[in-house]
Amino acid sequence: MENGTWLDEVPKRPHQPRTWSRELPIIADALGTSLSDRLLFAVPKKGRLHQACLDLLHGSDIQFHRHSRLDIALVKNHPLALIFLPAADIPTFVGEGRVDLGITGRDQVEEHECIAPPTETTGVTEVLDLDFGKCKLQVQVPAKGDLQRPEDLIGKNVVTSFTNLTERYFRKLEAEQAGGNGSADAPLKTKIKFVGGSVEAACALGVADGIVDLVESGETMRAAGLKAISTVVDTSAILIKSKQPSKPELVDLISARIRGVITAQKYVLCTYNIKRSQLEAACKITRGKRAPTITTLEEEGWVAVSVMVERKNIAVAMDQLTAAGAEDILVMKLENSRTG
């Protein structure tokens, strides 16, 4: 198959306003309630972020039951309704103020803002990096081909589901290649085409010279015979809010709960006993999120230390504390937190 034969008929991702907001009253009627007095919180309805979001809501004590085949769930213990949407749509609805809070990928926010730049009253505000769903939006080419740099794809066929970010990336490359003299309105030489799924197959099928797609471990791309030659965006899941939320106090409360869960997932509580003469060296190992809590023990010359340590560093910290003279080292998992 020659490049571009069937993909020429595939349009870029449409950006017309969805009709979802007009469906809300119908869904609300099905649930026998009104949404007018509830804060709306959008979460991904499927995909790589879905389960992690559900776990996060559970840890934040946001209690809900999702009825079968309904994309809305009423929260029992707060005036809140969860709206289950495609992750790509969430920046649109939060940015337009139709939804107050949302969880999506930073890549989706940047993709949306390429065509709908934020203003004082529109667009989203990032509240918190949720520290999960980390991946990279990368330019990939056949591993055994001659293409080695992203500049080598200028004027060729590139397939992606992130057409706006990809266009912005290659427009910048083309301008740099022209010595900075390129016009922002100049026609794009690189042919960028939209495919919603299985993007990694495009090169093998002969319909693209390269792709731009999300990569986590890279195993799928390597299995497809591809290699990364550039990163367009580093992304992870983020909590976003509207610039004009309907219930600012509830937005702050839910945000604080989610922040507490994320902190608890990131840290553990480490306690140990140590001689006061060795305390300074130990505190350099475990500095804590702000500072260690130190308590004098009944045994003269000894203190107890309680401190938060990043989970990923705890094994090394325990080894170093033992070498520094610490005893009775205990590590406890945090279920939730409220920290500065």
Side-chain angles (χ1 to χ4, degrees):
M1 181 182 296
E2 295 181 1
N3 289 349
T5 52
W6 62 272
L7 278 180
D8 286 335
E9 303 302 321
V10 180
K12 292 185 179 181
R13 177 191 294 174
H15 296 287
Q16 294 85 357
R18 267 66 168 187
T19 59
W20 172 86
S21 58
R22 294 196 290 271
E23 297 171 4
L24 272 178
I26 300 173
I27 299 174
D29 287 344
L31 293 171
T33 188
S34 170
L35 298 178
S36 61
D37 60 344
R38 289 178 178 265
L39 183 137
L40 303 184
F41 188 169
V43 293
K45 66 186 297 182
K46 59 183 179 180
R48 62 189 184 88
L49 302 182
H50 175 71
Q51 188 57 51
C53 287
L54 295 184
D55 295 340
L56 184 60
L57 295 173
H58 176 74
S60 303
D61 193 33
I62 296 175
Q63 303 171 15
F64 68 94
H65 173 70
R66 183 181 179 187
H67 291 267
S68 177
R69 295 187 298 278
L70 284 181
D71 286 339
I72 186 168
L74 302 182
V75 174
K76 302 175 184 177
N77 56 338
H78 294 287
L80 185 69
L82 301 178
I83 313 297
F84 293 88
L85 295 170
D89 290 349
I90 292 176
T92 300
F93 291 113
V94 177
E96 293 180 358
R98 299 177 185 274
V99 174
D100 302 282
L101 275 172
I103 294 176
T104 189
R106 183 175 285 109
D107 52 299
Q108 300 292 356
V109 172
E110 293 198 23
E111 173 76 1
H112 172 69
E113 290 183 347
C114 285
I115 59 165
T119 67
E120 290 185 6
T121 57
T122 65
V124 308
T125 299
E126 181 177 332
V127 179
L128 181 65
D129 188 327
L130 300 176
D131 205 37
F132 64 79
K134 293 183 177 181
C135 56
K136 298 175 184 292
L137 184 64
Q138 291 187 321
V139 182
Q140 300 265 342
V141 296
K144 296 181 180 180
D146 297 328
L147 304 173
Q148 301 296 326
R149 305 176 306 147
E151 291 83 356
D152 296 337
L153 282 170
I154 291 177
K156 299 184 183 298
N157 291 322
V158 176
V159 165
T160 183
S161 56
F162 292 85
T163 54
N164 300 314
L165 279 170
T166 302
E167 180 176 329
R168 185 181 70 179
Y169 179 83
F170 279 98
R171 192 170 293 281
K172 181 180 178 182
L173 277 185
E174 292 184 16
E176 291 173 351
Q177 191 180 63
N181 298 321
S183 169
D185 298 325
L188 194 66
K189 298 177 184 177
T190 310
K191 303 174 185 65
I192 298 168
K193 302 171 184 180
F194 174 78
V195 168
S198 300
V199 178
E200 69 277 1
C203 292
L205 293 174
V207 295
D209 301 292
I211 68 168
V212 175
D213 201 16
L214 290 175
V215 177
E216 293 185 64
S217 66
E219 292 182 8
T220 300
M221 296 302 173
R222 286 191 290 272
L226 301 173
K227 65 179 180 182
I229 57 174
S230 182
T231 296
V232 178
V233 171
D234 286 299
T235 185
S236 61
I238 56 176
L239 177 68
I240 57 177
K241 69 176 181 179
S242 165
K243 292 183 178 178
Q244 297 178 310
S246 61
K247 299 177 183 293
E249 299 83 2
L250 186 54
V251 167
D252 291 342
L253 174 66
I254 299 301
S255 300
R257 286 195 174 193
I258 291 175
R259 182 179 286 105
V261 174
I262 294 299
T263 300
Q265 292 173 348
K266 186 176 180 181
Y267 289 87
V268 292
L269 182 65
C270 179
T271 65
Y272 57 89
N273 299 330
I274 195 165
K275 291 181 179 178
R276 186 173 290 278
S277 60
Q278 299 167 317
L279 179 60
E280 183 177 356
C283 287
K284 289 181 179 178
I285 299 169
T286 55
R287 299 179 184 275
K289 199 169 184 291
R290 178 169 291 137
T293 299
I294 301 169
T295 306
T296 301
L297 296 179
E298 289 291 332
E299 187 173 349
E300 186 175 352
W302 282 78
V303 296
V305 179
S306 179
V307 62
M308 292 174 66
V309 179
E310 283 195 79
R311 185 184 300 271
K312 65 182 181 181
N313 298 329
I314 189 60
V316 173
M318 292 176 72
D319 295 338
Q320 293 175 340
L321 286 172
T322 301
E327 299 181 6
D328 307 320
I329 304 171
L330 301 176
V331 175
M332 288 161 279
K333 179 181 177 181
L334 300 175
E335 289 295 335
N336 212 324
S337 70
R338 290 292 189 277
T339 62

